[in-house]
Amino acid sequence: MNTTPNGRTVVRVKDVMKPEVLLLDGKETVRQAIDLMRAKDARCLVVRKRSPDDEYGIVLLGDIAKQVIARDRSPDRVNVYEIMAKPVISVHSNMDIRYAARLFQRFGLSQCPVIDGDTIVGLLTYSGIVLEGLVDRSG
């Protein structure tokens, strides 16, 4: 956290993000994704890039519900790349959380990867923004 010249405390994404991010390959099955999510109590997975020129993807529980369960598709026969969102919207670790919250609201996000350069360093969620991002402003 930093303080601006006018005394306002700036909370950065890196201050409230979760440092653990679950990565998987897009060729893995939805069953494998579900197993990983269940084992790690996760609500989303980030899909690795296939090459330096590729982009990250993301799979949310809602994607599995809508694109696999609701359509009566077999999780053993559907690959993650078929249902992921790609490219994923991400935020930089040094971003002010006020701007991250605006981005979440504008695009209907509930979570997104945090990136430094070309590397994922964490996961930002609305929970983190709200529960960890509010600081005592009564100074």
Side-chain angles (χ1 to χ4, degrees):
M1 287 184 259
N2 299 9
T3 304
T4 64
N6 65 4
R8 186 179 68 76
T9 300
V10 177
V11 181
R12 305 279 179 200
V13 166
K14 64 185 169 192
D15 299 325
V16 300
M17 71 180 192
K18 294 178 182 178
E20 55 279 342
V21 179
L22 297 176
L23 294 162
L24 81 162
D25 188 276
K27 291 185 179 181
E28 292 189 48
T29 66
V30 171
R31 170 76 63 209
Q32 291 169 308
I34 292 169
D35 290 345
L36 179 58
M37 292 170 114
R38 186 179 291 135
K40 300 292 185 176
D41 194 29
R43 300 187 187 284
C44 78
L45 301 170
V46 175
V47 182
R48 288 186 189 95
K49 293 180 172 189
R50 294 179 314 221
S51 71
D53 295 319
D54 197 12
E55 295 297 327
Y56 291 105
I58 193 166
V59 175
L60 306 173
L61 286 175
D63 297 326
I64 295 171
K66 293 173 191 171
Q67 297 183 51
V68 180
I69 297 169
R71 294 182 181 177
D72 199 24
R73 298 171 73 188
S74 170
D76 296 309
R77 304 188 106 195
V78 177
N79 295 93
V80 168
Y81 73 82
E82 297 177 66
I83 65 166
M84 70 182 174
K86 184 176 176 175
V88 66
I89 295 174
S90 60
V91 295
H92 192 274
S93 65
N94 212 33
M95 180 184 281
D96 184 325
I97 65 163
R98 294 176 308 145
Y99 298 120
R102 291 176 192 170
L103 185 75
F104 273 40
Q105 188 275 326
R106 182 175 191 152
F107 291 101
L109 305 176
S110 59
Q111 50 203 336
C112 74
V114 178
I115 299 196
D116 264 341
D118 201 32
T119 305
I120 293 181
V121 296
L123 187 70
L124 182 65
T125 65
Y126 254 141
S127 300
I129 291 172
V130 174
L131 299 177
E132 304 296 330
L134 292 178
V135 294
D136 185 6
R137 298 180 191 271
S138 62

